[in-house]
Structures are given as structure tokens and as C-alpha cells.
Amino acid sequence: MSIGFFIIGGIIFLAYVYLTNWNIYYSGKKQKEENYPKVDIKEESKKK
């Protein structure tokens, strides 16, 4: 019974970490698009 709780807790924690990272990435990308709609990230990296 104890091992079952540990496994379920691990699965929930992994889902939480995945969704948190996805949210950070998606929000950052969305914010860049809204603030700088005409700046292409690929073009900026080539200039440097």
C-alpha cells in the first residue's frame, strides 16, 4: 500500500513539473509575440 502511494505521488509530481515547465515556455513565447510581433527570433540570433 505504501509503495502505491509513492508511485501515484511521483506520477502527480512529474505531471506538475511538466505542466509548469510547459506553462513557463508557452507564456514566454506568447509574451514575446505580443510585445515584439515583427521581430523574428531566428533573425536576431543571426545578427549577433
Side-chain angles (χ1 to χ4, degrees), residues 2-26:
S2 166
I3 192 76
F5 282 113
F6 183 74
I7 291 171
I8 296 298
I11 291 170
I12 292 171
F13 178 71
L14 289 175
Y16 168 76
V17 169
Y18 172 76
L19 291 173
T20 300
N21 285 326
W22 176 82
N23 189 22
I24 291 169
Y25 174 76
Y26 180 77

Side-chain angles (χ1 to χ4, degrees), residues 22-37 41:
W22 176 82
N23 189 22
I24 291 169
Y25 174 76
Y26 180 77
S27 296
K29 185 177 177 184
K30 189 74 169 168
Q31 186 177 15
K32 284 181 183 177
E33 290 174 358
E34 290 175 357
N35 291 336
Y36 305 104
I41 295 171

Side-chain angles (χ1 to χ4, degrees), residues 25 29 32 36 38-48:
Y25 174 76
K29 185 177 177 184
K32 284 181 183 177
Y36 305 104
K38 295 184 180 188
V39 175
D40 188 9
I41 295 171
K42 292 178 183 175
E43 289 179 8
E44 285 297 315
S45 64
K46 289 178 182 177
K47 290 180 182 178
K48 293 181 180 179

